[in-house]
Amino acid sequence: MDVIITAGGIPRPDEPLYPVTQGGPKAMLEIAGKPMIQWIIEAAVASDLVDRIVLVGLPLNDRIRSDKPVDCVDDQGEMVANIQAGAREVLRVNPAARQAILLSSDIPAITTGMVEWFIRTIQDTDHDLYYTVIRSEERRVGKECRSRW
């Protein structure tokens, strides 16, 4: 399975993340000693079910590492265009590909188990689009937990 990771986005001066990124990509924000994007890449790379990664919106640099092949696609300026560009790149590299999963660069708590669950789940069905959501009850629990910290 190929993995498309969307990593576009540079905060503008009027956005809350700008003071932290200073005009750099959001995906490169450091979390626990490494760029946020690295957490997502590591979760994907650790899976035997993942063959390659298509990274959209961020060029490889010396702070991003992967033990599996990574193809980079330029930021297209908007999320849907980035997803489409990632899908085109998957098909360019692997014309026989029937599925790919999409991950966002802003989910550093993702685990390899979550990636593998997602892959196995979609391999058992034949829909055009798969999208993960969190029920509102779970979001409220998360907010309560954060407020206690």
Side-chain angles (χ1 to χ4, degrees):
M1 181 72 65
D2 295 317
V3 175
I4 301 167
I5 302 175
T6 55
I10 296 175
R12 295 182 310 268
D14 62 331
E15 294 180 315
L17 282 178
Y18 185 81
V20 180
T21 63
Q22 291 297 303
K26 289 185 245 183
M28 293 303 293
L29 282 172
E30 189 168 305
I31 296 178
K34 54 186 157 185
M36 182 167 48
I37 186 70
Q38 187 64 41
W39 292 100
I40 291 84
I41 290 172
E42 289 175 8
V45 165
S47 172
D48 292 337
L49 302 176
V50 172
D51 297 317
R52 93 172 28 254
I53 294 171
V54 173
L55 183 58
V56 183
L58 190 67
L60 283 180
N61 61 55
D62 61 342
R63 296 185 61 214
I64 300 173
R65 293 174 184 75
S66 173
D67 293 334
K68 294 192 178 176
V70 177
D71 296 297
C72 294
V73 177
D74 291 337
D75 188 353
Q76 306 298 300
E78 62 178 44
M79 180 61 78
V80 172
N82 281 345
I83 293 167
Q84 291 171 328
R88 282 192 299 272
E89 181 64 11
V90 166
L91 289 173
R92 184 190 71 76
V93 174
N94 179 9
R98 291 199 20 86
Q99 296 176 315
I101 66 168
L102 174 66
L103 301 176
S104 174
S105 64
D106 62 356
I107 48 171
I110 194 166
T111 66
T112 301
M114 292 171 184
V115 171
E116 290 180 342
W117 173 86
F118 194 34
I119 291 170
R120 285 190 179 101
T121 299
I122 69 170
Q123 286 177 330
D124 291 340
T125 62
D126 191 29
H127 299 291
D128 292 332
L129 179 66
Y130 304 85
Y131 188 75
T132 57
V133 295
I134 297 174
R135 294 185 309 231
S136 62
E137 303 85 56
E138 293 169 3
R139 281 199 327 248
R140 271 188 243 114
V141 168
K143 287 179 184 176
E144 290 168 13
C145 290
R146 281 194 300 271
S147 66
R148 282 187 253 152
W149 292 99

